[in-house]
Amino acid sequence: MQTYDLAADGLRGLNEALQAQTAQTNETAWEVVNPRGSHAIAVGLDAPIEVQVKGSTGYYCAGMNQQATVHVTGSVGPGVAENMMSGTVVVEGDASQYAGATGHGGLLVIKGNASSRCGISMKGIDIVVHGNVGHMSAFMGQAGHLVVCGDAGDALGDSIYEAKLFVRGKVKSLGADCIEKEMRPEHLEKLAELLERAGSDAKPEEFRRYGSARQLYNFDIDNAY
């Protein structure tokens, strides 16, 4: 395992080393110590490597991730896994606002709570939050899945497209064009898969599904001024 001391050797050197790895690398396991809330740790990775961050990070940790597995043993600031394309990001603690924003693929697991706008404009990413999410989560969610094992704040799924939302706890309110939908067998199957991958023992039958009413897709003359 490669150990990198962020306090001693700096952020630029870390990201350059991680971004230099390729699919053929034999340096597949990395440990980052002393992150001390630094921003933009392990961004832009594009190789099947595993990165353990021992502590909490600032904003945009693991942004633009492809292929890599990034595991943070603390909490993360805004924008964790922003624009992620593939791979896995696991946060043992809490996540600040817009976790997984615009993510196109991969799996983001937050074992604590997530703040506002979790999954904003998600485009295919799968997000599993073991705790609660804040207001406006999955705002303009286009594709992918947001699984919330706790409660959801105000305006869940506001202006949602075709992302699928699953919430086990209470939903404070639904956003524009977001409604509760039937939970069919294929949804239970997919939810069971996501919960297993995220290490949650929650039962799929305990969740409700939410999604688009598809009323914002078309022009309505009554809305014209």
Side-chain angles (χ1 to χ4, degrees):
M1 177 179 287
Q2 308 293 313
T3 299
Y4 191 98
D5 188 333
L6 197 59
D9 300 318
L11 178 64
R12 184 182 296 274
L14 170 66
N15 283 334
E16 285 179 349
L18 295 177
Q19 291 167 9
Q21 304 308 308
T22 67
Q24 290 75 38
T25 184
N26 58 4
E27 296 180 344
T28 57
W30 294 74
E31 180 183 65
V32 181
V33 298
N34 294 319
R36 300 191 301 183
S38 295
H39 306 309
I41 293 175
V43 297
L45 307 190
D46 190 11
I49 61 176
E50 296 188 9
V51 181
Q52 296 272 346
V53 182
K54 299 294 187 178
S56 296
T57 74
Y59 53 68
Y60 296 124
C61 177
M64 301 178 290
N65 187 57
Q66 294 190 88
Q67 303 189 65
T69 296
V70 180
H71 195 127
V72 181
T73 59
S75 294
V76 294
V80 63
E82 182 266 346
N83 204 36
M84 183 162 77
M85 307 301 287
S86 62
T88 303
V89 176
V90 179
V91 178
E92 291 290 340
D94 298 324
S96 189
Q97 57 189 342
Y98 44 90
T102 73
H104 287 252
L107 174 66
L108 169 62
V109 179
I110 299 167
K111 294 192 175 180
N113 302 310
S115 186
S116 60
R117 297 175 178 84
C118 178
I120 182 173
S121 194
M122 53 194 292
K123 296 176 172 66
I125 189 175
D126 292 324
I127 304 173
V128 180
V129 180
H130 287 219
N132 307 321
V133 298
H135 65 269
M136 297 289 285
S137 289
F139 172 55
M140 294 185 68
Q142 296 176 34
H145 302 82
L146 172 61
V147 179
V148 182
C149 298
D151 300 331
D154 274 320
L156 175 70
D158 189 85
S159 303
I160 192 172
Y161 290 84
E162 292 303 311
K164 296 180 177 63
L165 316 180
F166 302 96
V167 182
R168 184 169 64 164
K170 298 177 181 177
V171 176
K172 191 166 184 181
S173 69
L174 295 175
D177 209 43
C178 186
I179 60 172
E180 183 174 350
K181 308 189 87 169
E182 178 188 6
M183 182 79 88
R184 298 194 297 271
E186 63 266 29
H187 302 128
L188 290 169
E189 182 179 355
K190 181 62 178 182
L191 181 53
E193 173 205 328
L194 291 171
L195 290 168
E196 180 179 5
R197 290 173 60 197
S200 171
D201 58 3
K203 303 296 187 293
E205 296 78 11
E206 300 171 342
F207 289 76
R208 293 183 174 184
R209 181 170 77 96
Y210 302 88
S212 176
R214 301 187 176 96
Q215 296 302 305
L216 296 181
Y217 281 20
N218 304 302
F219 175 74
D220 187 337
I221 190 63
D222 292 335
N223 294 329
Y225 291 97

